[in-house]
Amino acid sequence: MTPQKLLLLPGDGIGPEVMGEVQRLIDWLNAQGLTQFETETGLVGGCAYDADKVAITDATVAKAKAADAILLGAVGGPKWDPVPFDVRPEAGLLRLRKDLELFANLRPAICYPALAEASSLKREIIEGLDIVIVRELTGGVYFGEPKEITDLGNGQKRAVDTQVYETYEIERIARVAFELARKRGNKVTSMEKRNVMKSGVLWNEVVTRVHANEYKDVKLEHQLADSGGMQLVRNPKQFDVIVTDNLFGDVLSDIAAMLTGSLGMLPSASLGAADAKTGKRKALYEPVHGSAPDIAGKGLANPVAMLASFAMALRYSFDMGKLADTIEKAIANVLDKGVRTGDIAPAGTKSVSTSQMGEAVLKEVQALHG
Ligand code: NAD
């Protein structure tokens, strides 16, 4: 087994606490010879600003480019509210996404049976849910030019954002979605607004062509993004993989997140293009939640989103799907046994600390491994 390079960027707030639980799991996996991870740790976000007056140094970006995968905790917090805009903690994360061209954001929404009560939807609608939203992350209306507010001089202003997509951007995100579907339920639902937006017309056309030419074995459906949003809360289990643009993906993935109950449970992956020679993608894995300054340093954070992000790294960057399955099963078993951190514990019930949850998952991984 060749050593695999993992760059750990714990970041701020609860980031280092939840990353500690991943490090503990990696240490055990390495000791068992199940993995050969070489881990290195770096600074990103507010802690990088404190050390170097930037949100991430060039040296850390170089390490990120050289790594096989990056695990990130979370960045930000009120301590850094006063820092200049271009070196605010989030700038470190944005720079990583941009410099590594991480154009595909994957957000699974899984509803563990033991947590079905935590969802705002009825148990039968949500129990056993397992879907992934693939969001285009580097194009569309958040980046399109012109992007401006013009003073019209008559007491009125005009604001313009530009939704723009080119063929290659849609092709590459569609391929990520189809490849992913092949490893799951083999179905892709593409969402856009072709009824009112030219970018939606092109999106629909390109996804349809990529499907016909390369992925005929995968089932493809199209939905308008507004009715797709409605379907996502009406009957979410009809979906397997949803592929959509940056703006709709932002909204739809937050809706999907709430289906599952808690922010502390949700992992994500951001992937770049496949290397022409090796087929490997640059990849960053991180929990959906932020640095949770309200509970930072108290041992209250739920490490499951971070641990599940590591499981995604095993599956998508290291082709260790079985080990990823084991970790996900271990998380489900721990929840079945009623182990809960504060964010997922019903009011008035006992909850465990970050390290107790991490330890419970590790023990379960050890038991499943035999
Ligand atoms: P947040 O996700 O940090 O917290 C929202 C709420 O969820 C808080 O009450 C928090 O205690 C709780 N929570 C979040 N993760 C949890 C976990 N693992 N276990 C238990 N409870 C958890 O969002 P916020 O409060 O809006 O933002 C706080 C800071 O994080 C801000 O500076 C924001 O900019 C930053 N942020 C960073 C990222 C990122 O690094 N990707 C994402 C979102 C927000």
Side-chain angles (χ1 to χ4, degrees):
M1 204 188 285
T2 43
Q4 320 262 28
K5 277 196 219 161
L6 257 185
L7 179 64
L8 307 185
L9 301 174
D12 308 316
I14 61 169
E17 298 171 55
V18 293
M19 189 68 83
E21 300 311 312
V22 170
Q23 183 73 66
R24 187 209 300 247
L25 181 55
I26 292 172
D27 289 347
W28 183 80
L29 293 171
N30 277 350
Q32 296 300 305
L34 294 170
T35 55
Q36 273 201 10
F37 284 121
E38 281 175 3
T39 58
E40 211 179 339
T41 303
L43 300 178
V44 65
C47 58
Y49 179 81
D50 289 346
D52 300 304
K53 295 284 171 278
V54 289
I56 188 163
T57 60
D58 292 345
T60 306
V61 173
K63 279 183 195 167
K65 285 184 176 167
D68 292 305
I70 305 151
L71 296 184
L72 189 137
V75 297
K79 178 183 172 194
W80 298 284
D81 283 349
V83 310
F85 187 75
D86 59 331
V87 290
R88 71 200 187 285
E90 290 76 10
L93 188 49
L94 294 179
R95 176 157 177 215
L96 279 172
R97 285 181 186 157
K98 187 164 167 283
D99 286 14
L100 275 64
E101 288 186 67
L102 304 174
F103 66 86
N105 185 233
L106 274 56
R107 278 215 206 173
I110 295 169
C111 183
Y112 297 94
L115 292 185
E117 300 305 334
S119 171
S120 50
L121 297 189
K122 292 188 200 112
R123 176 179 275 277
E124 62 268 25
I125 290 177
I126 207 68
E127 192 172 3
L129 178 77
D130 180 0
I131 63 175
V132 182
I133 299 203
V134 177
R135 166 188 170 195
E136 201 290 325
L137 200 58
T138 51
V141 73
Y142 293 166
F143 297 96
E145 295 286 346
K147 187 178 201 59
E148 61 194 12
I149 298 177
T150 312
D151 196 329
L152 299 177
N154 57 355
Q156 296 287 306
K157 290 180 182 176
R158 179 169 55 222
V160 178
D161 291 291
T162 306
Q163 165 84 343
V164 51
Y165 273 109
E166 293 185 20
T167 306
Y168 78 96
E169 295 174 284
I170 307 170
E171 283 173 345
R172 66 184 183 177
I173 194 79
R175 288 193 182 105
V176 169
F178 287 124
E179 298 285 344
L180 184 62
R182 274 186 179 158
K183 294 187 184 159
R184 298 173 36 93
N186 217 32
K187 179 177 164 188
V188 169
T189 307
S190 170
M191 295 191 188
E192 30 59 23
K193 288 279 290 173
R194 63 187 177 282
N195 53 341
V196 284
M197 296 172 77
K198 290 291 180 196
S199 56
V201 173
L202 182 66
W203 185 279
N204 184 277
E205 187 185 301
V206 174
V207 172
T208 304
R209 177 173 48 72
V210 170
H211 174 253
N213 291 347
E214 301 168 46
Y215 300 96
K216 267 213 168 109
D217 54 303
V218 181
K219 189 169 190 285
L220 171 65
E221 281 181 357
H222 298 278
Q223 287 191 11
L224 296 175
D226 52 342
S227 88
M230 184 267 285
Q231 290 295 336
L232 205 49
V233 290
R234 194 184 75 87
N235 177 19
K237 285 191 250 176
Q238 70 182 278
F239 299 113
D240 176 31
V241 174
I242 294 172
V243 63
T244 190
D245 75 12
N246 202 344
L247 172 64
F248 296 137
D250 197 1
V251 177
L252 294 169
S253 61
D254 267 20
I255 295 175
M258 262 329 287
L259 299 176
T260 68
S262 168
L263 266 178
M265 301 294 300
L266 292 165
S268 79
S270 299
L271 307 178
D275 182 272
K277 275 195 208 136
T278 63
K280 280 202 79 113
R281 294 176 186 277
K282 296 257 176 287
L284 182 146
Y285 301 87
E286 58 178 326
V288 168
H289 64 70
S291 58
D294 52 334
I295 56 166
K298 297 179 182 164
L300 296 175
N302 184 349
V304 166
M306 189 76 244
L307 289 163
S309 300
F310 174 58
M312 286 186 86
L314 293 174
R315 178 170 289 118
Y316 297 123
S317 284
F318 301 109
D319 217 8
M320 296 184 194
K322 277 214 169 118
L323 198 49
D325 288 346
T326 304
I327 292 170
E328 286 161 1
K329 179 87 179 90
I331 291 169
N333 287 359
V334 163
L335 296 172
D336 278 346
K337 289 178 181 168
V339 182
R340 302 276 188 277
T341 42
D343 56 317
I344 49 173
T349 61
K350 232 181 124 223
S351 54
V352 301
S353 67
T354 308
S355 62
Q356 285 169 325
M357 180 57 107
E359 205 173 307
V361 173
L362 175 57
K363 283 218 171 93
E364 203 58 43
V365 170
Q366 291 168 338
L368 287 169
H369 195 257

